[in-house]
């Protein structure tokens, strides 16, 4: 048996123990956006630092102005491969609506289907605890079996990814020298389908804005004032409605500046993936694509910019009925960006648009969220070829290069602040319901994910 085969066999033998460790991590309620779970976030960070240290990657919990980071290093002398920085996030999304979960979100369950396949159901089972543990367990297998890692590894685990990473930029600025390595490895993306591994080569950027619109100085009787007092909810709905035209294009001036047409070869590659609207939309109970006309659904998700209202509220929303003109209206709106679109120019254009629509006697209050450019990897990077090689060997199927509709703000910061490229490999599936009730991760994703990282590290070590 080659050393690689021995390490892979070690992964198989360790699987139950690996799973138990993942369950321990999942049980820690590290919801970053809710201050009530601040201590849990720290506990998750400490748990990870202790695990990594025990494996042989000395790690510590580092304070930030928000939730702490976990940072660790193991330098292997005399190896030719790159020094890689692994990134994952230990925070998770809130669990609401809790009533739709089939079990306690923080009490992980293994659910077996009729065909014998198994899935892990819990908040964070995929995003990102299950995913990041595939790497941690791969490192463990190398250390236990070979006594050493194939390449030098540093670790950076964040606890604010799901809440816009407010502490990340200052932390990277302050620790630039320590964290700038040859290559970042990121495990927070999806496979193409359950049998086909993928490397994400395009990530969308994100600009978010929270809007409060204040009108009358108190909630009003809608009979007594209706017609005389302008309703903040109506004004806000007009603002939102005006953002898209009848073809689904965003109307903000300059919005499409920097949007690049998809290269023909990439378009061809994506056309060959066998994607169908029926299957994709069918899976979420829909039939007809709702976005920009003249672009395929896959292009819309991976290579076109969008605008989405993530929340819209105000007035009386409780049981029964209350005839009121609310004093305030609220919305959370986000834009996904592609190509070279500039987040700050788009924020400026959006704000100017909102101001132009705000009545003179109203007050507009804006609160920014996120502001990250989209990212496109170098298709010819040697690490990409090595990643592809390793994944194709593990899954017995050629790995495909895909886009990712989601955003992982740190990847842009790695590039811009640390001058480091990233290799985005993940084992989630689109159907995993991340951010939703009954989030899951296939046991196969977890097991073969660990084995995949074992192979990626081995490939990278070949120099
Ligand atoms: N893991 C996701 C990114 C992702 C989404 C990968 C879909 C693959 C498919 C990540 O944790 C995430 O949700 N990111 C947020 C970032 C935002 C809060 C700044 C996103 O994309 O909304
Ligand atoms: Zn994530």
């Amino acid at each position: 048996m080659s050393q690689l085969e021995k390490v892979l066999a070690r992964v198989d033998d360790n699987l139950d123990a690996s799973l138990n460790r993942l369950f321990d991590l999942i049980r820690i309620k590290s919801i970053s956006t809710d201050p009530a779970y601040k201590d849990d976030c720290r506990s998750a960070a400490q748990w990870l630092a202790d695990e990594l240290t025990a494996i042989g990657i000395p790690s510590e919990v580092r304070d930030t102005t928000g939730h702490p980071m976990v940072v660790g290093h193991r330098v292997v002398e005399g190896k030719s491969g790159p020094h890689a920085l692994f990134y994952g996030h230990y925070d998770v999304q809130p669990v609401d609506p809790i009533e739709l979960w089939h079990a306690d979100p923080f009490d992980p369950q293994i659910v077996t289907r009729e065909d014998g396949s198994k899935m892990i159901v819990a908040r964070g089972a995929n995003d990102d605890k299950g995913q990041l543990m595939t790497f941690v367990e791969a490192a463990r297998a190398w250390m236990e079996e070979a006594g050493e890692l194939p390449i030098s590894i540093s670790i950076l685990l964040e606890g604010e990814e799901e809440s816009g990473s407010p502490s990340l930029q200052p932390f990277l600025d302050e620790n630039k020298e320590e964290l700038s390595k040859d290559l970042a490895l990121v495990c927070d993306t999806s496979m193409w389908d359950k049998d086909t591994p993928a490397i994400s080569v395009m990530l969308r950027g994100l600009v978010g804005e929270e809007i409060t619109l204040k009108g009358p100085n108190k909630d009003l009787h809608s009979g007594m004032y209706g017609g005389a007092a302008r309703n903040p909810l109506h004004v806000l709905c007009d603002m939102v409605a005006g953002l898209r035209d009848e073809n689904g294009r965003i109307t903000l001036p300059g919005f499409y500046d920097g949007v690049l047409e998809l290269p023909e070869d990439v378009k061809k590659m994506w056309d060959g993936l066998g994607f169908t609207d029926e299957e994709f939309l069918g899976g979420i109970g829909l039939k007809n694509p709702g976005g920009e006309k003249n672009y395929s659904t896959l292009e819309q998700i991976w290579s076109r910019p969008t605008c989405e209202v993530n929340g819209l509220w105000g007035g009386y929303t409780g049981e029964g009925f209350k005839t009121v003109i609310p004093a305030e209206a609220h919305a959370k709106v986000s834009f996904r960006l592609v190509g070279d679109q500039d987040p700050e120019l788009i924020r400026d254009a959006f704000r100017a648009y909102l101001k132009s629509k705000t009545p003179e006697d109203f007050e507009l209050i804006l609160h920014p969220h996120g502001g990250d450019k989209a990212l496109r990897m170098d298709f010819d990077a040697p690490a990409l070829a090595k990643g592809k090689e390793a994944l194709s060997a593990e899954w017995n199927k050629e790995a495909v290069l895909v886009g990712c509709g989601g955003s992982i703000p740190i990847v842009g910061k790695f590039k811009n602040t640390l001058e480091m490229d990233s290799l985005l490999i993940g084992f989630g599936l689109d159907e995993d319901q991340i951010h939703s009730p009954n989030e899951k991760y296939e046991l196969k994703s977890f097991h073969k994910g660990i084995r995949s990282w074992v192979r990626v590290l081995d490939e990278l070590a070949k120099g």
Side-chain angles (χ1 to χ4, degrees):
M1 243 200 228
S2 70
Q3 186 166 62
L4 174 64
E5 283 164 350
K6 284 190 198 150
V7 179
L8 290 170
R10 169 74 71 150
V11 171
D12 300 346
D13 293 344
N14 277 356
L15 185 61
D16 283 345
S18 300
L19 206 52
N20 283 332
R21 284 186 284 267
L22 170 61
F23 281 16
D24 285 343
L25 177 60
I26 286 175
R27 288 191 189 100
I28 307 174
K29 303 175 182 178
S30 46
I31 304 171
S32 61
T33 199
D34 186 342
Y37 297 94
K38 187 167 181 274
D39 292 346
D40 301 82
C41 288
R42 180 166 289 273
S43 303
Q46 191 62 57
W47 187 93
L48 281 158
D50 292 346
E51 279 299 313
L52 287 162
T53 305
I55 290 171
I57 306 177
S59 300
E60 54 186 29
V61 174
R62 299 268 190 93
D63 285 336
T64 70
T65 46
H67 300 301
M69 306 274 177
V70 177
V71 178
H73 306 281
R74 184 174 181 91
V75 177
V76 184
E77 303 293 348
K79 294 274 171 122
S80 56
H83 186 148
L85 174 80
F86 176 79
Y87 165 84
H89 62 93
Y90 66 78
D91 63 321
V92 297
Q93 286 274 333
V95 296
D96 60 288
I98 183 78
E99 64 279 7
L100 295 185
W101 286 81
H102 303 317
D104 176 351
F106 293 105
D107 179 15
Q109 311 282 322
I110 295 272
V111 176
T112 308
R113 299 189 187 85
E114 265 178 23
D115 65 2
S117 64
K118 292 181 194 301
M119 57 182 178
I120 308 159
V121 183
R123 173 56 87 229
N126 166 328
D127 189 9
D128 186 37
K129 289 174 173 172
Q131 300 248 59
L132 81 84
M133 286 299 281
T134 59
F135 187 87
V136 173
E137 292 298 317
R140 178 191 300 277
W142 269 108
M143 289 301 295
E144 283 182 5
E145 188 61 41
E148 191 47 280
L149 297 170
I151 55 171
S152 295
I153 295 286
S154 294
I155 304 271
L156 173 65
L157 305 176
E158 188 197 352
E160 296 183 335
E161 199 271 353
E162 301 290 10
S163 48
S165 303
S167 312
L168 187 60
Q169 188 64 53
F171 190 81
L172 294 183
D173 289 336
E174 275 162 33
N175 299 282
K176 187 168 169 186
E177 214 166 300
E178 181 184 356
L179 298 174
S180 294
K181 302 296 174 211
D182 302 316
L183 172 73
L185 303 174
V186 177
C187 192
D188 197 18
T189 51
S190 307
M191 308 224 301
W192 167 246
D193 63 26
K194 68 180 188 9
D195 304 311
T196 317
I199 301 181
S200 296
V201 291
M202 289 161 86
L203 270 182
R204 289 203 287 190
L206 189 84
V207 169
E209 196 79 32
E210 185 164 342
I211 305 163
T212 300
L213 192 60
K214 291 193 174 179
N217 60 12
K218 58 175 97 55
D219 283 6
L220 304 172
H221 188 293
S222 69
M224 202 177 293
Y225 287 96
R230 214 190 287 265
N231 185 328
L233 274 171
H234 289 217
V235 177
L236 188 59
C237 288
D238 283 346
M239 287 172 168
V240 165
L243 283 169
R244 285 160 58 126
D245 71 12
E246 65 282 6
N247 292 318
R249 279 180 73 86
I250 315 302
T251 54
L252 294 178
F255 183 76
Y256 289 91
D257 291 354
V259 175
L260 311 169
E261 285 304 313
L262 197 59
E264 262 320 299
D265 53 333
V266 179
K267 194 167 159 24
K268 225 161 138 194
M269 187 162 70
W270 291 358
D271 285 345
L273 287 173
F275 176 94
T276 66
D277 283 3
E278 289 72 32
E279 208 178 317
F280 182 71
L281 293 173
I284 49 167
L286 297 175
K287 267 195 203 138
N288 307 309
E292 216 180 339
K293 300 242 166 75
N294 300 324
Y295 291 93
S296 74
T297 303
L298 209 49
E299 278 176 89
Q300 290 198 39
I301 300 167
W302 287 352
S303 69
R304 296 297 297 171
T306 54
C307 165
E308 296 296 336
V309 179
N310 303 122
L312 185 65
W313 71 101
Y316 182 69
T317 56
E319 285 283 314
F321 212 81
K322 184 180 177 195
T323 48
V324 68
I325 296 177
E328 294 184 8
H330 305 262
K332 292 178 197 269
V333 177
S334 62
F335 299 88
R336 298 278 172 179
L337 311 185
V338 302
D340 291 324
Q341 278 180 300
D342 182 329
E344 288 321 308
L345 289 184
I346 286 173
R347 190 188 303 288
D348 290 347
F350 184 43
R351 289 182 158 200
Y353 166 80
L354 295 173
K355 277 181 195 139
S356 75
K357 294 264 181 192
T358 304
E360 193 207 333
D361 49 355
F362 272 41
E363 187 188 359
L364 176 70
I365 301 166
L366 298 170
H367 186 75
H369 284 278
D372 289 282
K373 274 194 74 171
L375 220 87
R376 185 194 285 240
M377 310 299 152
D378 173 6
F379 286 24
D380 300 319
L384 198 63
K386 287 173 185 296
K388 226 176 145 191
E389 182 74 32
L391 289 176
S392 308
E394 173 59 27
W395 294 81
N396 242 325
K397 197 162 177 198
E398 192 170 350
V400 291
L401 306 184
V402 298
C404 174
S407 308
I408 307 175
I410 198 167
V411 178
K413 297 184 193 340
F414 280 159
K415 181 90 193 159
N416 300 327
T417 306
L418 305 185
E419 290 153 33
M420 184 166 57
D421 285 320
S422 299
L423 186 60
L424 294 155
I425 295 178
F427 308 99
L429 299 178
D430 285 346
E431 60 179 57
D432 281 354
Q433 308 191 170
I434 63 171
H435 297 199
S436 298
N438 306 307
E439 174 178 351
K440 60 104 171 154
Y441 202 41
E442 293 297 313
L443 184 59
K444 182 173 164 184
S445 289
F446 185 61
H447 184 186
K448 286 178 88 64
I450 302 171
R451 291 176 52 102
S452 297
W453 283 120
V454 163
R455 290 182 189 270
V456 172
L457 294 181
D458 185 59
E459 265 313 311
L460 289 173
K462 292 179 185 165

